[in-house]
Amino acid sequence: MRRPIIAGNWKMYKTIADALELANGLKRELYAIEGVDIVIAPGFTLLDEISDVIAGSNINLGAQNAHWEAEGAFTGEASVAQLKELDVKYIIIGHSERRQFFGETNEGVNKRIKAVLSGGLIPIMCVGENLSQREKGNTFSVVQDHLRGGLEGIEKEEAKDIIFAYEPVWAIGTGKTATPAEAQEVHGFIRKKLAEIYDNDTAQSMRIQYGGSVKPDNIEDLIKQEDIDGALVGGASLKVDSFSEIVKKSVG
Ligand code: PGA
């Protein structure tokens, strides 16, 4: 049985005061919840303060990216070691907004994933097609390309901890969710590819989140799908009520 994992991607939202209010509210709402891994991924400037607030709770800290080098002249980036110092445990890598607006490539994603793993943290590796790729019938080839490129040279023993997030770009922040059946179809494909790249047991143990307009009213139908093991939530993770409800509904 794969344990569900719900992660909130706060993107470039919230100042410190607002972020503290949100984190404290989530702690109050979620302290008794068991059977699900809960992650929040605030922006870099918020990590230190949020880390203190959630220390010792059932909410884990995530970051939204990390560079592959240990240190160096890389303006605007943060290293795995710098994030680890703040008790970050999960790092989102290859989010479609990174790919689309900041030129992130499979090669960069692959290097970042390797750095996260060798630092002992857990990558949340995002894959997914955009609207024109879907309309041209290229969903599976794009997803396969993201998987193969991102996982290049990563052995099974290391890869088993990676969390995958299937995020159809056309469903992110648009209010359009893939139907549970559409999402399941791609999740099943991802698991099949992971079995080809690694082996069936490894693929069966890996967790695959769905992301793209996840809300309290669609999480239950999504999480019921055989190969959907959680959610990567953007907009609805910015409010105590909606994120808590999503977490609670993911464990029934
Ligand atoms: P959304 O974002 O829930 O606002 O669609 C999801 C994501 O980008 O991770």
Side-chain angles (χ1 to χ4, degrees):
M1 225 353 222
R2 294 178 296 266
R3 185 177 160 91
I5 175 163
I6 305 291
N9 173 9
W10 292 7
K11 307 193 180 183
M12 200 175 71
Y13 290 100
K14 309 271 174 201
T15 55
I16 291 175
D18 295 341
L20 289 174
E21 199 180 311
L22 174 55
N24 277 309
L26 291 174
K27 228 170 82 166
R28 269 196 308 275
E29 276 297 318
L30 297 173
Y31 75 94
I33 302 298
E34 290 174 359
V36 51
D37 290 328
I38 308 167
V39 181
I40 52 176
F44 288 139
T45 62
L46 308 170
L47 288 171
D48 195 11
E49 307 242 10
I50 300 301
S51 181
D52 289 345
V53 171
I54 62 175
S57 77
N58 57 349
I59 303 175
N60 299 284
L61 193 60
Q64 297 174 19
N65 203 3
H67 197 262
W68 55 85
E69 292 291 344
E71 61 177 10
F74 299 104
T75 303
E77 294 280 331
S79 73
V80 173
Q82 287 173 326
L83 297 169
K84 223 171 148 171
E85 203 169 38
L86 302 173
D87 291 328
V88 165
K89 190 166 166 202
Y90 296 87
I91 306 185
I92 299 169
I93 298 291
H95 190 277
S96 63
E97 285 149 18
R98 299 294 320 165
R99 296 180 192 259
Q100 197 180 342
F101 304 127
F102 302 99
E104 195 85 59
T105 61
N106 279 341
E107 196 192 346
V109 168
N110 180 245
K111 287 197 217 170
R112 291 178 200 266
I113 300 251
K114 285 177 175 162
V116 174
L117 290 170
S118 57
L121 303 189
I122 303 172
I124 298 178
M125 175 177 157
C126 303
V127 302
E129 81 288 0
N130 62 31
L131 186 58
S132 82
Q133 291 164 332
R134 174 160 281 253
E135 283 171 345
K136 286 187 199 127
N138 292 336
T139 297
F140 294 124
S141 62
V142 170
V143 168
Q144 168 164 314
D145 177 61
H146 286 169
L147 284 174
R148 290 205 180 272
L151 295 171
E152 179 84 47
I154 301 175
E155 299 301 323
K156 184 171 82 180
E157 288 64 37
E158 280 212 295
K160 65 182 185 348
D161 294 326
I162 300 174
I163 313 280
F164 296 88
Y166 167 58
E167 298 204 306
V169 179
W170 48 272
I172 295 180
T174 57
K176 272 191 210 164
T177 332
T179 64
E182 276 171 335
Q184 166 56 32
E185 190 186 15
V186 182
H187 279 240
F189 173 81
I190 291 172
R191 204 174 302 285
K192 195 175 102 205
K193 285 293 140 193
L194 292 171
E196 278 170 32
I197 298 171
Y198 298 109
D199 57 43
N200 194 46
D201 285 354
T202 306
Q204 286 302 328
S205 72
M206 287 167 146
R207 293 184 289 178
I208 310 171
Q209 298 177 309
Y210 170 78
S213 298
V214 174
K215 301 275 176 321
D217 63 7
N218 59 27
I219 183 66
E220 283 164 306
D221 286 339
L222 288 162
I223 200 101
K224 265 192 227 149
Q225 304 298 313
E226 188 181 340
D227 291 297
I228 299 184
D229 307 312
L232 182 54
V233 187
S237 74
L238 298 171
K239 292 213 168 79
V240 174
D241 290 357
S242 45
F243 191 65
S244 307
E245 212 178 319
I246 290 170
V247 171
K248 289 174 188 169
K249 286 183 168 171
S250 75
V251 280

